[in-house]
Amino acid sequence: MTGVTASTSVLVASAPVLSAQAGYVMLALFSVLWISLGIWWGRRAKSYDGFAVAGRNVGLALGTATAVATWITSNTTMLAPQFALQLGIWGALAYSTASFGLFAFAPMSGRIRRLMPTGYTAVEFVRRRYGLLGTIPFLIISIFYALTWLVSMTMAGGKLLNVLSGIPYEVGMSVVIVVCVLYTLFGGMYAVIGTDFIQSLIILVGLIVVACAVLVKIDLVDVHEKLSTNRPMLLSVLFPAALMSLFNNMFFGFGEIFHSNVWWSRAFAMRDGVGPKAYALGGFLWLPVPIVAGFLGLAAPALGIGVSEPDTVGPMVAATLLGWGGALLVFVVVFCSLASSIDSLLAATSDLMVNDIIEPIMQHHPTDRTKRNLSSFCIILLGFFSWSVALPNVGTLATVLFFAGPMVGSCIWPIVGGLYSRRANAMAACLAMVTGSVCGLIAYFTIGWFVSSLVGAAVSGAVFGVGLLLSPADFDFDSLSVDGESKKTPANDPQAAGEMA
Amino acid sequence: MMFPLWLLRVLVIGALVLCSMGVAVLIAFLISDLKNKKIW
């Protein structure tokens, strides 16, 4: 990963501020709380619809909160300060552009709900819209992204708990993933969305308290002065890498939200008419979070706080400045932001596995009970996979996360075109995803992470546009609402057309 | 060319105000949904 590295280390906060005992107590308290809530809400999840999409009746309060909480990942609380530390003010602003994805998805969520009132996943849409040709690259990208995100969150859990309280990486990481697996297993989407509300409140309040406490200890004038003297690039309006990251992050955000089943499953779960409002409001609520978190990163050089690992700069600043109380607050905020993302990923990815991998392989439609059991099995499997990959603790968070950037960036146009244009066709969608991903990955390795999503989205958009011009389809959007594999009529899919005949 | 101090102030304070408003909005929505029995 390119960019400025944290080289000044006047005051390296290497020892954990919170005692391991306090860490274990907090971990135990929140683990019991989330699992209890999972069991409590799980009583509502009697059918597969209840378990997978919370009965498709989620209101505005929980809908807005789940959009905010899911998008505030531990990467927001860890990477936004790192962005600010390495790329300056533009870095924090670049991270906040990820909220544009929520704004853009707001109208899309309403259309998704209208077009597929009984749908479950994003891949299901692509399968009905583009047939097998579009499904294969999209499914690969979706699964790769979901697993990458899941593993990076699990790793973040172990790292953060270790930095803050000295709990061994392996123990912290294991507890985080096991707790999330357990409450998702008991409560499904009800538990995921219900806990998201509590978690979003805790995260927002925690961030406000930590940032205010830091502001009490240091003056913004000092921060600005010291940055101007020691790290002027962080205040530069024309910082090339930072400017590139601004657009890159925005496209990464679009790609992540447009393609990921985490967001689609919420669109299916929200009551009719709630989705557009919830996603737009969620965007407004999320927008300031990376700036507040990024401020902690900007404060680090001004305070002379050096950090051995840049992605832990935010928590280290809070813990070093505010001592035990700050560490405790950050501990809670981080645990909530981790849980809110991991549970969403477990639920949404298990839906993908059941509806888009297992069900198509089976020769008959499984019963409601069978699907529920399969979901539970997939959640456990995903948890175990994530745990086993995260255990060796290889690679930095940013490297793991941004590797998926160009791939999800290449999904933007096929999804938008597929939702809104009759002319979008399967070949164009497939080629757009493949060429966008390949070119984006080449840019990732030859230029840097900060242009990879941008290149992926640009190449994919060009290929998709040419495909639409050369071979326009005439898709019937009504066919998307038809329930059942045998009744679907994907455009430009000879195989499906043959099956129909 | 550098970002001026006032912009840094606006960003940090503005973001804090927005976060606080977010908390208030979420609680207001919850109360409204509870009254109308539209939570789930």
Side-chain angles (χ1 to χ4, degrees):
Chain A
M1 187 174 163
T2 58
V4 187
T5 54
S7 53
T8 52
S9 51
V10 181
L11 205 163
V12 178
S14 53
V17 180
L18 202 64
S19 70
Q21 198 181 8
Y24 281 121
V25 169
M26 294 304 293
L27 209 54
L29 279 175
F30 277 92
S31 301
V32 170
L33 175 67
W34 300 144
I35 294 171
S36 308
L37 287 171
I39 295 170
W40 172 259
W41 277 312
R43 298 182 314 163
R44 303 178 73 94
K46 288 175 183 143
S47 65
Y48 180 70
D49 250 26
F51 190 77
V53 285
R56 303 181 193 277
N57 221 17
V58 174
L60 188 57
L62 298 191
T64 306
T66 195
V68 178
T70 306
W71 211 211
I72 302 176
T73 64
S74 70
N75 288 323
T76 316
T77 47
M78 290 169 77
L79 273 183
Q82 182 188 348
F83 263 49
L85 178 72
Q86 298 182 327
L87 301 172
I89 290 182
W90 275 129
L93 289 175
Y95 211 104
S96 69
T97 59
S99 64
F100 296 173
L102 288 174
F103 295 134
F105 194 70
M108 287 169 66
S109 68
R111 186 160 173 82
I112 288 165
R113 188 77 167 74
R114 269 197 310 279
L115 291 176
M116 297 176 68
T118 55
Y120 289 103
T121 70
V123 178
E124 187 182 341
F125 163 77
V126 172
R127 194 169 67 241
R128 292 186 190 183
R129 182 67 182 82
Y130 295 125
L132 195 64
L133 202 56
T135 306
I136 291 171
F138 188 75
L139 184 61
I140 291 170
I141 291 171
S142 294
I143 293 286
F144 177 80
Y145 169 79
L147 295 181
T148 309
W149 192 7
L150 190 59
V151 171
S152 80
M153 289 296 106
T154 312
M155 286 171 67
K159 252 179 148 176
L160 253 291
L161 302 191
N162 177 255
V163 168
L164 291 171
S165 63
I167 293 175
Y169 169 83
E170 294 79 7
V171 176
M173 183 270 291
S174 304
V175 171
V176 167
I177 191 72
V178 167
V179 168
C180 291
V181 164
L182 282 177
Y183 78 77
T184 310
L185 204 57
F186 289 126
M189 193 57 102
Y190 278 114
V192 170
I193 291 180
T195 51
D196 274 356
F197 185 85
I198 302 167
Q199 287 157 353
S200 62
L201 283 181
I202 293 175
I203 293 166
L204 287 172
V205 171
L207 275 176
I208 293 165
V209 171
V210 169
C212 287
V214 171
L215 276 174
V216 168
K217 297 249 178 183
I218 55 164
D219 195 345
L220 276 174
V221 179
D222 289 339
V223 173
H224 193 270
E225 264 180 22
K226 285 184 181 163
L227 284 176
S228 316
T229 313
N230 303 326
R231 308 280 292 272
M233 279 306 277
L234 299 187
L235 289 177
S236 173
V237 178
L238 302 170
F239 191 167
L243 285 169
M244 294 294 266
S245 76
L246 192 79
F247 294 102
N248 186 73
N249 228 51
M250 190 165 64
F251 278 102
F252 194 173
F254 282 142
E256 279 184 288
I257 294 182
F258 289 5
H259 98 283
S260 174
N261 195 49
V262 164
W263 305 101
W264 282 67
S265 59
R266 276 158 178 70
F268 291 125
M270 287 178 205
R271 180 177 294 136
D272 203 17
V274 165
K277 292 177 204 161
Y279 278 107
L281 283 163
F284 277 113
L285 266 60
W286 191 88
L287 181 73
V289 171
I291 299 173
V292 173
F295 167 62
L296 302 180
L298 282 177
L303 290 163
I305 297 174
V307 277
S308 51
E309 293 183 73
D311 53 6
T312 58
V313 62
M316 289 318 304
V317 167
T320 310
L321 269 183
L322 307 173
W324 192 85
L328 202 67
L329 254 181
V330 172
F331 189 96
V332 173
V333 167
V334 166
F335 191 50
C336 287
S337 50
L338 282 165
S340 66
S341 302
I342 292 176
D343 61 6
S344 305
L345 275 164
L346 288 170
T349 314
S350 72
D351 290 347
L352 276 188
M353 291 168 74
V354 172
N355 289 287
D356 303 308
I357 297 175
I358 300 172
E359 199 177 324
I361 290 171
M362 292 168 84
Q363 295 299 313
H364 57 90
H365 287 292
T367 62
D368 202 72
R369 186 76 211 158
T370 309
K371 284 182 85 169
R372 170 78 198 264
N373 289 340
L374 283 170
S375 270
S376 301
F377 172 73
C378 289
I379 289 168
I380 296 169
L381 194 69
L382 285 165
F384 179 73
F385 170 83
S386 183
W387 177 82
S388 52
V389 175
L391 194 61
N393 191 14
V394 180
T396 69
L397 274 176
T399 308
V400 177
L401 182 74
F402 281 94
F403 195 66
M407 299 169 82
V408 301
S410 71
C411 293
I412 295 172
W413 301 110
I415 288 293
V416 175
L419 273 173
Y420 289 100
S421 172
R422 286 177 173 275
R423 294 157 64 93
N425 63 79
M427 182 58 80
C430 177
L431 285 176
M433 286 188 268
V434 173
T435 52
S437 297
V438 170
C439 293
L441 283 170
I442 290 170
Y444 177 93
F445 287 111
T446 54
I447 305 170
W449 61 269
F450 48 85
V451 291
S452 57
S453 302
L454 198 61
V455 171
V459 171
S460 156
V463 171
F464 191 66
V466 170
L468 254 66
L469 287 174
L470 294 180
S471 174
D474 185 21
F475 185 74
D476 175 16
F477 282 111
D478 289 341
S479 64
L480 287 171
S481 63
V482 177
D483 207 14
E485 287 292 303
S486 58
K487 294 177 185 172
K488 68 177 184 167
T489 52
N492 287 7
D493 185 357
Q495 189 184 344
E499 285 168 8
M500 287 265 310
Chain B
M1 200 163 79
M2 287 196 190
F3 278 103
L5 175 62
W6 66 264
L7 187 65
L8 184 64
R9 271 190 212 278
V10 168
L11 283 175
V12 175
I13 306 297
L16 275 170
V17 171
L18 276 177
C19 279
S20 310
M21 284 168 64
V23 174
V25 163
L26 283 181
I27 292 169
F29 283 170
L30 183 69
I31 293 167
S32 166
D33 278 358
L34 273 172
K35 275 184 183 171
N36 300 321
K37 295 185 177 171
K38 284 185 172 177
I39 288 285
W40 296 108

